[in-house]
Amino acid sequence: MQRAPYRSDQEYLRYNQYRNSSNLNARFDLHDRFSINKYGWHRWVFDHFNFPSQSRLLELGCGGAYLWTKNQDRIPKEWDIILSDFSPGMLQDARSNLRSLNHPIRFEVTDAQSISFEEASFDGVIANHMLYHVPDRNKAFSEIYRVLKPEGRFFAATNGQSHLKELGELAQRFSPDFNPHWRADTFTLETGKVQLSQWFPYVTVTRYEDGLVITEVDGLTSWAKSWAGVAFGDKLPVFLEFLEEEFRRQGAIRVTKDSGLFEIRKCNDP
């Protein structure tokens, strides 16, 4: 098994893994079908948004705009929303996914390390499972701090160290060279607060209670295919056979999920 480009390899992510939303779609399908918590992740994240009724919001790394497609019925009509991503293909998919939304939304190609908006221009910034892809998070935090209004709020979702650990262990059993662990300097639920606190005085984290019980083998194989070329390369067909045999041997496969949401503010006032 080849060594995978790391999560912050920008060229690889933009032009291969996240050229469009197809790989993300396969992974979201796994969670939609087999999650224990039937109150979906995107609905849960949206529950935490405490922005004013008239707010200007920026989402960084919006992907296929799933946060908004899953909450179309809840978007206040007064919100001014800008969705951004560093991948033009992702933005094209986001625009397509929201074509039936009766709400004006702007789409911008934006790098979180160099946000092309004026100072103190947003009531809220959202970064949903994307900060671990940013090579220089200090630059990103500096930019987010700059574009937030003094009373602005920043919501950042990420995973914990144990997230999907059983799937990583399966891949490691197939190939001992595969490293399923997060790097110590990345952005996780365990490391995020220390990183954020260097820029923001108020940081809290809430975990989302969930897990997976994968009861159909195509859930496993679709997950593996979404990483084809990243971690499995030309060994993908053999790895798929390995997963199918594991599923026949174990039956339903239980998988740990560990995700959560940081709420961050520029001031300590509630």
Side-chain angles (χ1 to χ4, degrees):
M1 183 181 291
Q2 66 189 41
R3 288 201 175 274
Y6 197 64
R7 292 181 176 89
S8 58
D9 184 332
Q10 297 292 282
E11 291 301 301
Y12 180 84
L13 293 171
R14 180 180 288 113
Y15 298 113
N16 292 275
Q17 183 61 202
Y18 297 134
R19 179 174 53 85
N20 56 42
S21 60
S22 58
N23 289 324
L24 282 180
N25 289 343
R27 292 169 215 156
F28 283 136
D29 182 65
L30 177 74
H31 294 278
D32 285 344
R33 291 170 61 193
F34 303 112
S35 287
I36 296 169
N37 188 343
K38 297 307 178 185
Y39 190 75
W41 164 259
H42 295 99
R43 301 288 285 189
W44 180 86
V45 169
F46 203 93
D47 286 347
H48 291 79
F49 293 166
N50 47 12
F51 304 121
S53 58
Q54 294 187 345
S55 289
R56 189 177 191 224
L57 307 178
L58 171 67
E59 183 176 12
L60 299 167
C62 70
Y66 309 109
L67 178 62
W68 308 97
T69 62
K70 297 290 188 181
N71 290 285
Q72 293 189 49
D73 59 319
R74 309 171 72 188
I75 302 172
K77 63 181 180 180
E78 299 88 356
W79 282 6
D80 177 12
I81 301 169
I82 299 173
L83 302 188
S84 71
D85 203 284
F86 77 151
S87 164
M90 282 287 197
L91 279 182
Q92 182 177 343
D93 287 352
R95 190 188 302 272
S96 177
N97 290 340
L98 289 173
R99 61 186 177 276
S100 63
L101 179 65
N102 186 25
H103 190 105
I105 288 183
R106 287 173 56 190
F107 299 88
E108 298 278 348
V109 176
T110 298
D111 183 344
Q113 300 164 114
S114 181
I115 299 174
S116 55
F117 293 100
E118 60 275 16
E119 184 175 342
S121 57
F122 290 98
D123 299 282
V125 175
I126 302 158
N128 191 1
H129 282 104
M130 58 77 65
L131 285 168
Y132 41 70
H133 292 313
V134 177
D136 191 335
R137 274 184 297 281
N138 273 322
K139 279 187 179 179
F141 295 150
S142 173
E143 284 290 271
I144 293 165
Y145 188 94
R146 179 182 64 80
V147 300
L148 272 177
K149 295 178 181 178
E151 69 279 8
R153 302 194 178 193
F154 170 32
F155 289 89
T158 191
N159 299 319
Q161 295 280 355
S162 64
H163 187 64
L164 305 186
K165 65 178 183 179
E166 292 83 0
L167 297 183
E169 289 165 358
L170 276 176
Q172 192 171 45
R173 280 181 48 209
F174 174 74
S175 175
D177 289 339
F178 180 76
N179 182 5
H181 304 295
W182 293 78
R183 250 175 29 188
D185 62 348
T186 193
F187 186 81
T188 65
L189 292 175
E190 293 82 5
T191 64
K193 186 169 184 177
V194 171
Q195 297 176 37
L196 289 162
S197 295
Q198 296 178 52
W199 291 93
F200 301 92
Y202 179 97
V203 181
T204 64
V205 63
T206 307
R207 273 179 155 87
Y208 175 70
E209 298 298 325
D210 201 4
L212 292 173
V213 181
I214 303 174
T215 56
E216 298 178 34
V217 69
D218 70 307
L220 280 178
T221 55
S222 294
W223 166 80
K225 288 175 183 176
S226 78
W227 291 105
V230 183
F232 310 117
D234 57 7
K235 292 186 177 181
L236 178 64
V238 183
F239 183 57
L240 296 179
E241 292 178 6
F242 169 81
L243 291 177
E244 289 169 359
E245 178 57 33
E246 279 298 309
F247 190 84
R248 286 192 290 270
R249 187 178 67 83
Q250 295 188 39
I253 294 179
R254 296 183 176 273
V255 179
T256 301
K257 287 178 67 172
D258 187 15
S259 296
L261 184 68
F262 289 100
E263 179 182 346
I264 307 110
R265 305 179 196 169
K266 287 185 74 170
C267 62
N268 272 313
D269 296 337

